[in-house]
Amino acid sequence: EAGVTQFPSHSVIEKGQTVTLRCDPISGHDNLYWYRRVMGKEIKFLLHFVKESKQDESGMPNNRFLAERTGGTYSTLKVQPAELEDSGVYFCASSGGRTQYFGPGTRLLVL
Amino acid sequence: QKEVEQNSGPLSVPEGAIASLNCTYSDRGSQSFFWYRQYSGKSPELIMSIYSNGDKEDGRFTAQLNKASQYVSLLIRDSQPSDSATYLCAVNIKSSASKIIFGSGTRLSIRP
């Protein structure tokens, strides 16, 4: 069974540009989460989808971040416009219950 | 006070010995507790979950939970060089699927 996949694995963009990250959860998992780890800090929760609905978006930093999960399958996280402090590793996780399985992450560098 | 606290390490343990990793959490309503292992540049990998007080054993790993003391630990027996990684303690406040609060991780180094 395929695990959580994320695309791209790396992204380098300039400040002010737009970047869209994609996450494909494990098939059948209704719960999808986005997390972020910035340099030297712990992994922080961003938001939680149950199917296509946002269950909890309390961790979203500001309105430059937009997450969608149309159809309740894959999810996208768009950052527009990107700022320097958005650099970090963005992880996606999915679960069918209490255990969350993490994807490999997207390493974002904003210059 | 951080919601989930871990000693950042590094913790150096000789091969074959027991590695003991500790974690405390602040919310008494926490229901689910996880230990993830993360190799450098890789994603967190779940190695243990525990939901009730006491010990839970899985192979060389034992998770221990004490809700009264708000303390969770991970013991690794017969430590191997391949166990060298960062170990992340994570806590889920609600009993149902919801966000996880992570500690900053403890770097473990197993010396041959």
Side-chain angles (χ1 to χ4, degrees), chain B residues 43-60:
Chain B
S43 61
E45 174 193 7
L46 181 71
I47 53 172
M48 288 290 284
S49 59
I50 187 166
Y51 308 111
S52 55
N53 278 329
D55 295 0
K56 179 181 177 182
E57 186 175 321
D58 184 1
R60 295 187 297 111

Side-chain angles (χ1 to χ4, degrees), chain B residues 3-4 7-8 11 17 21 24 31 36 47 50-51 54 69-70 73 78 84 98 102 106 108 111:
Chain B
E3 293 178 273
V4 179
N7 188 319
S8 62
L11 174 65
L21 304 162
T24 58
Q31 297 284 336
Y36 284 83
I47 53 172
I50 187 166
Y51 308 111
S69 301
Q70 295 173 240
S73 65
D78 188 23
S84 298
S98 66
F102 281 90
T106 299
L108 174 65
R111 56 183 190 271

Side-chain angles (χ1 to χ4, degrees), chain A residues 35 37 45 99-100 103 107, chain B residues 36 38 41 43 46 98-100:
Chain A
Y35 292 87
R37 186 171 204 166
F45 168 83
T99 300
Q100 297 182 23
R107 281 147 188 80
Chain B
Y36 284 83
Q38 188 175 25
S43 61
L46 181 71
S98 66
K99 68 182 181 184
I100 285 177

Side-chain angles (χ1 to χ4, degrees), chain B residues 11-24:
Chain B
L11 174 65
S12 181
V13 173
E15 184 175 356
I18 296 175
S20 178
L21 304 162
N22 305 312
C23 172
T24 58

Side-chain angles (χ1 to χ4, degrees), chain B residues 72-93:
Chain B
V72 58
S73 65
L74 179 71
L75 301 177
I76 306 175
R77 289 181 299 280
D78 188 23
S79 297
Q80 303 297 310
S82 59
D83 294 327
S84 298
T86 295
Y87 288 80
L88 304 170
C89 174
V91 175
N92 182 323
I93 294 174

